[in-house]
């Protein structure tokens, strides 16, 4: 009844419904050690005898627990969240109930900066001497609370949605229609080099990954009375989910044949020519699902019953991917996609050589 991905069961969360009683609550809290504050509340308002409403909202903020020396010791790894929901419940007759829900949420997180808790290590995990140590905050193991990055790693997120549910009696049966839509956007910004500026031998990597998504779903159900010998549920379901993301990496590079003993910023005297490779990958998908389902219960006695169900599902998944790079001069091997495509190309070459060798034999 609940779909092919629910073989282990379903967790069903039902929000508190509007009631005919006027009331609500408001609560707040504050925490030291980062100036964290939270407030949330709800208000239940019966507009008329048959039209009920409920409003909920929240706001929270946190300055963070990490200091960024590149921005004058500004706190990072904090957040600011705000959101709300409105529910309307209309009962035009004893046989019909209409429920409307809409919500909105926005997150602005300057999280999560990655602290470096040790000095440079070799492959065996032993400390080594490296000029980059002069540009990094003093490591303090798991108590490290400082970074020195010229790009604030952050996530900006926004989402909103609405649903409309109609339940109406048709003779002894109940017809239910549920229509829902949701929009989602997310932008991830990351400093991948942990430095305040690029140096000879230490490339600057700045990542940007905006993504969007939307989902539409429609469900239609016919439900019989439960207190009869054979009770049943028949239903149809449709959903369409679309998502797209563009991941890009901007590089500032001035590598030399060997890393100098002292730090030399790119663009300064004695540094090799600076290059700016850039790569991006845009990928997305459209997933459509259509299903018909049924479940019936044969109530032989009050303590013995037989439950059976049947579901048919068809899926259609379309995906797309486009990768573009601008590579020139030193730094052409910059890892734009966390090594995924470079490894893929390598495997393709190796596989081709193996196949050719087999045919040659």
């Amino acid at each position: 009844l609940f779909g092919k991905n629910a073989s282990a069961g379903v967790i069903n969360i039902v929000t508190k419904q509007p009631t005919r009683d006027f009331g609500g609550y408001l609560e707040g809290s504050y925490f030291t050690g980062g100036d964290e504050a939270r407030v949330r509340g709800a208000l239940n308002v019966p507009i008329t005898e048959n039209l009920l409403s409920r409003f909920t909202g929240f706001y929270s903020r946190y300055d963070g627990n990490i200091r960024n020396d590149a921005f004058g010791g500004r706190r990072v790894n904090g957040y600011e969240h705000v959101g709300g929901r409105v529910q309307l419940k209309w009962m035009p007759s004893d046989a019909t109930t209409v429920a409307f829900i809409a919500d909105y949420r926005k997150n602005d997180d300057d999280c999560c900066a990655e602290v470096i808790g040790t000095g440079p290590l070799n492959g065996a995990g032993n400390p080594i001497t490296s000029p980059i140590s002069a540009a990094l905050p003093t490591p303090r193991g798991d108590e490290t609370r400082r970074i020195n990055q010229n790009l604030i790693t952050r996530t900006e997120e926004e989402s909103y949605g609405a649903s409309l549910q109609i339940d109406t009696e048709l003779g002894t049966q109940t017809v239910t229609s549920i229509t829902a839509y949701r929009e989602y956007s997310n932008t991830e910004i990351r400093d991948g080099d942990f430095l305040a500026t690029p140096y000879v031998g230490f490339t600057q990597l700045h990542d940007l990954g905006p993504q969007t998504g939307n989902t539409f779903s429609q469900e239609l159900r016919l439900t019989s009375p439960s207190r009869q010998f054979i009770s049943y549920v028949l239903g149809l379901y449709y959903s369409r989910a679309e998502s797209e993301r563009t991941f890009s990496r901007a590089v500032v590079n001035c590598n030399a044949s060997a890393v100098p003993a002292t730090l030399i910023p790119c663009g300064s005297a004695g540094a090799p020519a600076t290059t700016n490779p850039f790569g991006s990958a845009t990928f997305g998908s459209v997933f459509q699902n259509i299903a018909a389902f049924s479940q019936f219960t044969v109530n032989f006695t009050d303590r013995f019953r037989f439950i059976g169900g049947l579901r048919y599902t068809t899926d259609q998944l379309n995906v797309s991917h486009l990768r573009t790079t601008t590579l020139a001069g030193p730094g052409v091997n910059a890892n734009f996609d966390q090594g995924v495509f470079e490894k893929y190309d390598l495997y393709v070459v190796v596989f081709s050589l193996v196949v050719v060798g087999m045919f040659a034999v």
Side-chain angles (χ1 to χ4, degrees):
L1 181 63
F2 296 107
K4 65 179 183 180
N5 294 329
S7 57
V10 171
I11 297 176
N12 189 25
I13 299 175
V14 180
T15 57
K16 189 171 183 178
Q17 302 290 305
T19 67
R20 288 188 170 91
D21 299 321
F22 179 84
Y25 73 90
L26 179 66
E27 62 181 39
S29 55
Y30 177 80
F31 306 88
T32 60
D35 293 331
E36 184 174 11
R38 305 174 187 172
V39 60
R40 65 175 184 171
L43 183 63
N44 195 86
V45 181
I47 301 174
T48 67
E49 183 69 17
N50 297 324
L51 179 60
L52 312 177
S53 66
R54 183 176 177 83
F55 305 89
T56 58
F58 67 89
Y59 175 81
S60 58
R61 62 176 296 276
Y62 175 48
D63 284 349
N65 57 356
I66 303 295
R67 298 278 186 176
N68 190 347
D69 294 340
F71 288 85
R74 165 185 163 169
R75 287 183 181 267
V76 294
N77 278 20
Y79 65 82
E80 185 175 29
H81 298 169
V82 63
R85 178 193 294 123
V86 57
Q87 298 182 75
L88 298 176
K89 186 176 183 180
W90 180 41
M91 297 155 287
S93 68
D94 294 338
T96 301
T97 300
V98 180
F100 173 78
I101 303 176
D103 67 89
Y104 174 81
R105 175 177 60 91
K106 184 176 182 180
N107 297 346
D108 187 1
D109 303 348
D110 53 7
C111 176
C112 294
E114 300 156 285
V115 297
I116 300 177
T118 67
L121 307 175
N122 61 15
N126 299 318
I128 60 175
T129 301
S130 173
I132 201 63
S133 300
L136 296 174
T138 302
R140 299 173 54 201
D142 59 3
E143 295 184 357
T144 304
R145 294 293 182 270
R146 305 194 79 88
I147 61 173
N148 189 23
Q149 303 176 7
N150 60 348
L151 181 67
I152 296 179
T153 295
R154 63 180 342 124
T155 300
E156 299 171 354
E157 188 175 86
E158 185 177 31
S159 70
Y160 56 89
S163 66
L164 178 67
Q165 177 171 336
I166 303 175
D167 296 279
T168 185
E169 295 180 5
L170 187 63
T172 60
Q173 317 297 303
T174 300
V175 177
T176 300
S177 171
I178 304 176
T179 307
Y181 180 79
R182 177 159 296 279
E183 285 271 1
Y184 169 82
S185 64
N186 173 288
T187 299
E188 295 179 0
I189 303 170
R190 178 176 179 268
D191 189 314
D193 58 274
F194 316 111
L195 300 174
T197 189
Y199 298 94
V200 176
F202 300 96
T203 301
Q204 176 175 287
L205 306 174
H206 286 177
D207 300 338
L208 177 65
Q211 57 183 318
T212 60
N214 63 78
T215 303
F216 169 81
S217 64
Q218 174 65 54
E219 183 172 349
L220 190 63
R221 294 198 306 261
L222 179 66
T223 307
S224 71
S226 59
R227 295 184 177 275
Q228 59 184 29
F229 181 63
I230 299 178
S231 58
Y232 56 86
V233 176
L234 303 175
L236 298 172
Y237 178 79
Y238 170 79
S239 69
R240 183 183 187 277
E242 181 178 0
S243 64
E244 183 177 273
R245 186 187 188 199
T246 298
F247 173 84
S248 61
R249 171 165 287 177
V251 177
V252 178
N253 182 80
C254 64
N255 280 338
S257 57
V259 176
T262 59
L263 286 179
I264 301 176
C266 290
S268 63
T274 299
T275 59
N276 301 92
F278 179 84
S280 68
T282 299
F283 45 93
S285 65
V286 177
F287 178 69
Q288 295 188 86
N289 172 275
I290 302 176
F293 57 90
S294 64
Q295 179 171 302
F296 62 91
T297 303
V298 182
N299 301 289
F300 293 103
T301 69
D302 291 341
R303 301 184 62 184
F304 177 69
R305 59 185 178 177
F306 176 82
I307 301 175
L310 182 67
R311 186 182 185 100
Y312 173 81
T313 300
T314 178
D315 296 332
Q316 179 179 346
L317 176 63
N318 297 323
V319 297
S320 62
H321 186 277
L322 174 65
R323 181 173 186 252
T324 59
T325 59
T326 302
L327 303 173
V332 295
N333 293 319
N335 181 4
F336 291 104
D337 299 289
Q338 309 292 353
V340 174
F341 288 96
E342 290 161 1
K343 290 294 184 183
Y344 172 78
D345 293 340
L346 175 62
Y347 294 150
V348 169
V349 172
V350 172
F351 177 75
S352 300
L353 292 176
V354 171
V355 173
V356 171
M358 291 174 59
F359 278 105
V361 172

